[in-house]
Amino acid sequence: MSLPTISLESLVSTKSFDKLLTIAKSTGCASSSCGSSAKPDEMDSAVWEKIKDHPCYSEEAHHYFARLHVAVAPACNIQCNYCNRKYDCANESRPGVVSEKLTPDQARRKVIAVANEVPQLSVLGIAGPGDACYDWKKTKETFERVASEIRDIKLCISTNGLALADHVAELADMNVDHVTITINMVDPEIGAKIYPWIFYNHRRHTGIDAARILHKRQMLGLEMLTARGILTKINSVMIPSVNDEHLIEVNKWVKERGAFLHNVMPLISDPAHGTHFGLTGQRGPTALELKTLQDRLEGGAKLMRHCRQCRADAVGLLGEDRGKEFTIDQISDDITYDASKREAYREVVARERGDHVVAKSEAIATVKAAGSSKSLLIAVATKGGGRINEHFGHTAEFQVYEASQRGISFIGHRKVEQYCLGGRGADATLDSIIAALKGIDIVLCAKIGDCPKDQLAEAGIRAMDVYGYGYIETAISALYAAEFGSEPLAATA
Ligand code: CLF
Ligand code: SF4
């Protein structure tokens, strides 16, 4: 008997959750069993439990789960040359940028409002807009208020590390399993080029003295977290000619001290942002420079490559920002939590993920079996769920995969202007999309018209929609096998 079909898309948009939940449960696929089938063989079960629903700590989970940042921590105890928190633009996506700062109670209401409407929500993060550990009282109060009402939400925090060691015991008491520390250097001479000052022990420190203190405190915080079994992710901002080569050393240091992930992010630098680096013309790395460094770091601390450099008030799947739907003026004072959407979604996702993992491992085996030394770069239009399910013209971000003898890997994303607005495509926009897709061999999407398809072909990029709505890796393996000699797989998931 075939199982009832429920798409993740219908679940996310539908109102009839009770019905969907009943159908999902009738498939006999409990989340505990299917969720565990997605666990990588080499991973410890306790670690998998912590990361399996976290969109940043698991690349696989980011296709299904969403985070919400609440901007409750505006104060900061250091100055980074790439930061200016006074600059605010609702369309800007980068760390430190927010449209609305919240009190802990406003944050509690916002989390409930999002949890009631965004079924993918699994993580509450505090990532500023200042430093969550320095502005500790508000961070702690927010976590406590939310955790008392939404018991299964994961708590996540991002910090520069200077005040971290003072709060590790409290983080452990609150069951915070995920802590990000931004570590851009382990050599204070390089640190002095990134941090003009820090505020520590009631006074301001500058230059190498400041960088030395920050470095020691970051290492201490990391070691304390590792000792308590709290998973740490290290964010490093790649700044060409300042710390790019040095990040290889950073990767070694954090690996030795137990970091779970290392996330190397490109410097975002623009004079309009008013940052020191922006105003002095310090450039960020190109996509190729970033990838080259990430490739050199393979084999060290495990890399995160799917970061979207979120705003401090981001809402939704990574790469998506639904913040405008949940401004505090739209949320009632006496809102109460309704778990039904999140529960229904999790039931369906558990089954879908099990299927996806099987399809993915078959696809990777096919690519490896081709035995070719060639590689393909593929840009995918997706709305989530691990499927090719977005139209070319509606895509604001392509996910990029590499197929090679090592298998199929997610290697990053390319942001683009949306081609199709108001039902029409714009030629100038298409030119910028083609520029953003430089180096890509193939574009996979759910639908594409002849005009953009032909212009992409002229630029040497093949675009196709024949694999629409199938699993991403299945389509890639079919293309790779067809291209490099083995038998192609069927084009369906
Ligand atoms: Fe937020 Fe950061 Fe937690 Fe994720 S973001 S506090 S770990 S829930 Fe994620 Fe955004 Fe990258 Fe951060 S994609 S910027 S890594
Ligand atoms: Fe800005 Fe964060 Fe640096 Fe503070 S630690 S200056 S908030 S980037």
Side-chain angles (χ1 to χ4, degrees):
M1 190 182 80
S2 64
L3 295 174
T5 303
I6 312 170
S7 71
L8 293 181
E9 207 172 332
S10 70
L11 184 53
V12 171
S13 58
T14 191
K15 301 286 177 202
S16 51
F17 281 87
D18 290 347
K19 192 172 159 205
L20 285 168
L21 185 55
T22 308
I23 297 171
K25 284 183 169 163
S26 75
T27 65
C29 186
S31 58
S32 55
S33 59
C34 286
S36 60
S37 68
K39 182 179 97 55
D41 292 341
E42 70 286 359
M43 189 172 285
D44 181 79
S45 298
V47 172
W48 175 243
E49 272 307 308
K50 288 182 184 173
I51 69 159
K52 69 183 168 66
D53 301 342
H54 196 306
C56 303
Y57 281 69
S58 162
E59 189 275 311
E60 191 253 337
H62 104 280
H63 297 285
Y64 302 100
F65 290 103
R67 55 42 183 140
L68 156 66
H69 287 169
V70 287
V72 293
C76 190
N77 49 358
I78 72 174
Q79 179 61 56
C80 304
N81 278 333
Y82 47 77
C83 178
N84 174 13
R85 298 189 305 288
K86 290 193 189 86
Y87 183 93
D88 175 25
C89 167
N91 297 318
E92 184 80 11
S93 180
R94 65 191 166 88
V97 175
V98 295
S99 293
E100 194 173 58
K101 291 172 195 148
L102 303 176
T103 65
D105 185 59
Q106 288 173 326
R108 177 193 66 85
R109 284 160 46 208
K110 181 167 178 174
V111 179
I112 291 172
V114 173
N116 288 354
E117 290 303 321
V118 179
Q120 302 103 321
L121 181 70
S122 62
V123 177
L124 165 63
I126 299 183
D131 186 75
C133 283
Y134 181 58
D135 220 339
W136 177 248
K137 275 191 184 158
K138 288 182 227 153
T139 296
K140 186 176 178 190
E141 187 181 339
T142 302
F143 276 162
E144 286 175 342
R145 282 176 182 243
V146 172
S148 69
E149 295 192 53
I150 309 179
R151 297 192 174 276
D152 68 344
I153 200 160
K154 288 191 187 311
L155 305 177
C156 190
I157 191 171
S158 178
T159 174
N160 61 46
L162 185 60
L164 171 62
D166 302 336
H167 304 295
V168 169
E170 291 163 284
L171 287 166
D173 288 347
M174 287 193 291
N175 292 324
V176 175
D177 281 333
H178 304 85
V179 175
T180 294
I181 316 172
T182 300
I183 299 180
N184 296 318
M185 55 85 200
V186 292
D187 175 350
E189 290 205 10
I190 291 175
K193 297 177 190 165
I194 302 170
Y195 306 103
W197 57 260
I198 68 165
F199 190 76
Y200 181 66
N201 267 351
H202 312 292
R203 77 175 181 89
R204 189 178 280 228
H205 302 256
T206 57
I208 291 184
D209 175 40
R212 189 173 290 121
I213 295 168
L214 180 61
H215 165 59
K216 282 194 177 151
R217 297 284 297 171
Q218 288 176 334
M219 294 303 127
L220 175 64
L222 171 57
E223 287 163 7
M224 290 173 73
L225 292 168
T226 301
R228 282 167 177 76
I230 296 173
L231 297 182
T232 46
K233 174 166 68 59
I234 307 304
N235 281 358
S236 297
V237 181
M238 178 182 176
I239 311 162
S241 309
V242 175
N243 73 345
D244 44 356
E245 282 296 317
H246 181 60
L247 290 180
I248 293 168
E249 193 66 15
V250 172
N251 184 279
K252 281 188 201 143
W253 276 64
V254 301
K255 183 181 182 188
E256 280 166 16
R257 286 159 182 78
F260 180 72
L261 275 178
H262 190 193
N263 172 26
V264 178
M265 312 181 295
L267 171 72
I268 300 173
S269 181
D270 184 328
H273 297 160
T275 64
H276 174 79
F277 280 150
L279 293 171
T280 54
Q282 171 63 54
R283 73 172 180 92
T286 63
L288 183 62
E289 286 170 335
L290 176 66
K291 180 179 180 306
T292 304
L293 177 62
Q294 289 171 330
D295 289 348
R296 286 173 67 194
L297 293 174
E298 284 294 349
K302 185 171 158 45
L303 293 181
M304 172 188 189
R305 295 199 191 216
H306 61 283
C307 177
R308 303 303 202 278
Q309 295 180 278
C310 314
R311 296 165 55 92
D313 56 5
V315 181
L317 294 170
L318 303 190
E320 170 181 78
D321 193 0
R322 300 180 57 183
K324 287 179 194 145
E325 297 169 46
F326 299 99
T327 52
I328 202 69
D329 58 308
Q330 303 178 70
I331 300 169
S332 144
D333 285 348
D334 52 7
I335 188 166
T336 54
Y337 177 49
D338 172 1
S340 60
K341 283 193 182 182
R342 291 181 68 235
E343 281 178 5
Y345 181 78
R346 277 163 185 267
E347 288 288 338
V348 178
V349 161
R351 183 187 61 202
E352 172 78 6
R353 272 177 100 174
D355 292 347
H356 183 194
V357 166
V358 171
K360 184 174 170 178
S361 83
E362 285 172 4
I364 289 173
T366 300
V367 168
K368 286 184 176 168
S372 170
S373 59
K374 304 253 178 63
S375 63
L376 278 180
L377 274 190
I378 296 128
V380 181
T382 175
K383 287 195 270 197
R387 292 181 183 268
I388 305 158
N389 53 7
E390 181 62 289
H391 289 207
F392 176 82
H394 298 161
T395 304
E397 173 195 285
F398 288 92
Q399 297 196 357
V400 180
Y401 289 76
E402 184 173 53
S404 71
Q405 56 193 352
R406 293 193 304 275
I408 302 172
S409 312
F410 179 100
I411 59 161
H413 62 280
R414 305 268 179 104
K415 285 198 191 310
V416 293
E417 266 184 83
Q418 199 173 309
Y419 171 60
C420 189
L421 288 170
R424 292 175 64 90
D427 284 346
T429 308
L430 188 55
D431 291 343
S432 75
I433 295 173
I434 289 171
L437 293 175
K438 187 166 182 239
I440 297 292
D441 298 300
I442 296 170
V443 167
L444 295 176
C445 53
K447 202 80 197 155
I448 184 166
D450 289 340
C451 178
K453 193 173 175 177
D454 292 346
Q455 287 195 47
L456 282 161
E458 278 173 31
I461 302 168
R462 285 172 280 160
M464 57 188 82
D465 51 20
V466 289
Y467 296 97
Y469 302 98
Y471 285 128
I472 294 167
E473 292 86 0
T474 304
I476 291 173
S477 72
L479 286 162
Y480 190 86
E483 194 101 357
F484 300 121
S486 299
E487 288 296 314
L489 290 177
T492 54

